[in-house]
Amino acid sequence: MPADVRAIKTPAEQSLSAAFAAARSALPGKGSIDELREAAFQRFDAAGLPHRRIEEWKYTDLRALMREAKPLAEPAKPIRHLPALPEVNADRILMVNGRYEPTLSDFTARRHIELREVFAFAAARKDYRLGDTPGREDIALSLNTAFMTGGIALHVAKGAKIEKTLEIVHLFAGEKAAAMYPRSIVIVEPGARLTLIESFNGPADLDYQVNSALELHIGEGAAVEHIMIGRDGNAALRISTLGVKVSANSTYKEFAFTTGGAVIRNQIFVRFEGKGTQASIAGATLLRDRQHVDNTLVIEHAAGECTSRERFRTVLDDASHGIFQGKIIVAPHAQKTDAKMASHALLLSDDAEADNKPELEIFADDVQCGHGATAGALDKGLKFYLMSRGIPEHQAEALLIQAFVGEAIEEIADEEIREALLNAAAKWLEARR
């Protein structure tokens, strides 16, 4: 009889198992939430941390990158918070150390928006099942489900036009490194409109860990723009999972802007469930030192006559490592799908590394789909042209880099946010001198 071969658990996996056993009875949410946690942890326990032999995690081997698992973060003490984009006029909802902090938030109650703590919402809404989201089998998301410490549920009423931007601020506040697992839900009813920022911040030189998840449900004919801003501390490890369900005739725009963190993975799972959706999913990543950032997305066209555009740009300096993995899946009945994906990397150093892996899985025959990827250095001809006009070398490089990144940022519909991110990119370039 063959022996039962089991993988040896890493120290981080052993710590996570011990932490779950110690914390499970004290974690918030009971009944069905307990059952959900237990099932999620069993999936993680059987699979372990994602590693390079799993195709979707080929370039971000958490078994190697996550040497230890930090203890769960304690509730926050009173803090002073500086917004990620102070130029943007937004109502800010603070999530500190993985927990919703209403007393620290400046959210203004409105007639067409319901804001509740996530587990209270899940208990009250029997018609909504927490965890019913694309990508729910992902191991990192399972780990979040097992440990989720808190979050918010945001419900936008049918037909509501929310003019003021909302921002969910994820902040780590502590003197010792720890881990936080926020989980939130955003439901936008049919015909409603919402602009939502989700930002991640934390102290420098502290190797804290974040595993966050957001479930976004977009009703028929709704318009949603979601901007994710990663300005984590330079030693942080963060995995962020976004699961999106999009109904018919909706407009969905997504943008991921990343400058901070040591190891970052932004993973986006989107399913178009009704015809006529228009979607734009884009990102800009600016890396230096030995930063490692992985943008991974899976776009499932489960309904026909939908249009999606995916455009990502990455700038890499020093010995940084940028990854783009994008997969478009077209279901057999999703005829007349129009999907295009492009990823471009700009290498400023011989030691930088860019990995691009676009994929198409097409099971329908009446479609227009394509993908492309490039990686290269600054155009020497353009740089020489600018310098020949009297522009100093470092300014010429900055102008070319800013133009490269700006093409991605221009995808953002909200003018105020667009200008703020262009300013943030300019500040990153100034620090490069």
Side-chain angles (χ1 to χ4, degrees), residues 341-354:
M341 177 185 293
S343 172
H344 305 288
L346 181 59
L347 302 167
L348 306 180
S349 164
D350 291 339
D351 295 323
E353 179 182 348

Side-chain angles (χ1 to χ4, degrees), residues 75-134:
K77 297 177 181 179
I79 57 167
R80 180 174 179 268
H81 167 62
L82 296 176
L85 298 177
E87 311 97 316
V88 175
N89 180 28
D91 275 350
R92 293 180 169 89
I93 303 164
L94 255 67
M95 299 275 296
V96 185
N97 291 1
R99 297 167 178 83
Y100 171 42
E101 297 289 348
T103 59
L104 301 176
S105 303
D106 59 6
F107 175 79
T108 303
R110 306 178 201 175
R111 192 174 68 182
H112 300 297
I113 303 178
E114 178 189 9
L115 174 63
R116 299 187 67 177
E117 196 277 334
V118 66
F119 299 120
F121 175 87
R125 287 285 298 266
K126 301 302 182 184
D127 59 331
Y128 185 85
R129 184 185 175 191
L130 185 67
D132 184 15
T133 180

Side-chain angles (χ1 to χ4, degrees), residues 122-404:
R125 287 285 298 266
K126 301 302 182 184
D127 59 331
Y128 185 85
R129 184 185 175 191
L130 185 67
D132 184 15
T133 180
R136 59 180 170 267
E137 298 303 319
D138 179 80
I139 296 301
L141 181 57
S142 294
L143 195 57
N144 171 277
T145 302
F147 283 100
M148 50 188 178
T149 48
I152 59 110
L154 193 68
H155 186 192
V156 181
K158 182 177 180 180
K161 311 299 181 186
I162 310 303
E163 299 296 336
K164 191 174 183 181
T165 299
L166 298 180
E167 180 180 355
I168 301 173
V169 179
H170 296 277
L171 179 64
F172 179 80
E175 297 178 357
K176 295 182 179 180
M180 60 186 201
Y181 296 84
R183 182 65 163 264
S184 294
I185 302 166
V186 176
I187 300 172
V188 182
E189 294 286 0
R193 183 176 65 197
L194 175 69
T195 298
L196 178 68
I197 298 174
E198 192 178 9
S199 63
F200 295 87
N201 309 269
D205 303 321
L206 194 64
D207 56 341
Y208 64 90
Q209 297 173 350
V210 182
N211 184 332
S212 74
L214 176 68
E215 303 177 20
L216 175 57
H217 299 261
I218 302 174
E220 184 172 353
V224 175
E225 183 165 27
H226 176 255
I227 297 97
M228 184 163 57
I229 302 171
R231 304 183 75 173
D232 307 85
N234 62 342
L237 183 152
R238 173 171 60 82
I239 304 166
S240 292
T241 304
L242 175 65
V244 189
K245 286 184 176 182
V246 189
S247 299
N249 301 312
S250 299
T251 301
Y252 167 52
K253 295 180 74 70
E254 177 70 37
F255 194 87
F257 181 80
T258 308
T259 58
V263 176
I264 304 294
R265 178 173 165 108
N266 300 314
Q267 50 181 22
I268 303 169
F269 301 93
V270 182
R271 183 185 303 127
F272 303 125
E273 298 187 329
K275 294 182 177 181
T277 289
Q278 302 285 323
S280 168
I281 302 168
T285 305
L286 301 167
L287 305 179
R288 59 165 59 94
D289 299 325
R290 300 187 66 83
Q291 285 181 280
H292 175 112
V293 174
D294 179 345
N295 287 301
T296 291
L297 53 145
V298 178
I299 313 300
E300 183 183 355
H301 284 259
E305 301 176 29
C306 293
T307 299
S308 71
R309 295 289 183 268
E310 293 79 41
R311 304 178 183 92
F312 280 74
R313 301 215 165 192
T314 305
V315 178
L316 304 104
D317 205 353
D318 304 320
S320 58
H321 186 190
I323 300 109
F324 171 82
Q325 297 185 105
K327 179 185 287 188
I328 296 172
I329 303 171
V330 182
H333 54 276
Q335 303 293 354
K336 300 191 181 301
T337 289
D338 182 356
K340 304 287 191 305
M341 177 185 293
S343 172
H344 305 288
L346 181 59
L347 302 167
L348 306 180
S349 164
D350 291 339
D351 295 323
E353 179 182 348
D355 291 298
N356 291 308
K357 192 173 71 119
E359 299 176 79
L360 295 173
E361 289 186 6
I362 302 172
F363 302 99
D365 52 15
D366 185 7
V367 302
Q368 295 185 56
C369 296
H371 62 64
T374 64
L378 282 171
D379 189 310
K380 292 182 179 179
L382 288 175
K383 180 179 173 181
F384 176 77
Y385 174 82
L386 293 174
M387 292 175 64
S388 70
R389 296 301 186 270
I391 298 174
E393 182 177 6
H394 72 275
Q395 284 188 327
E397 290 185 354
L399 286 171
L400 292 173
I401 297 168
Q402 199 159 9
F404 176 81

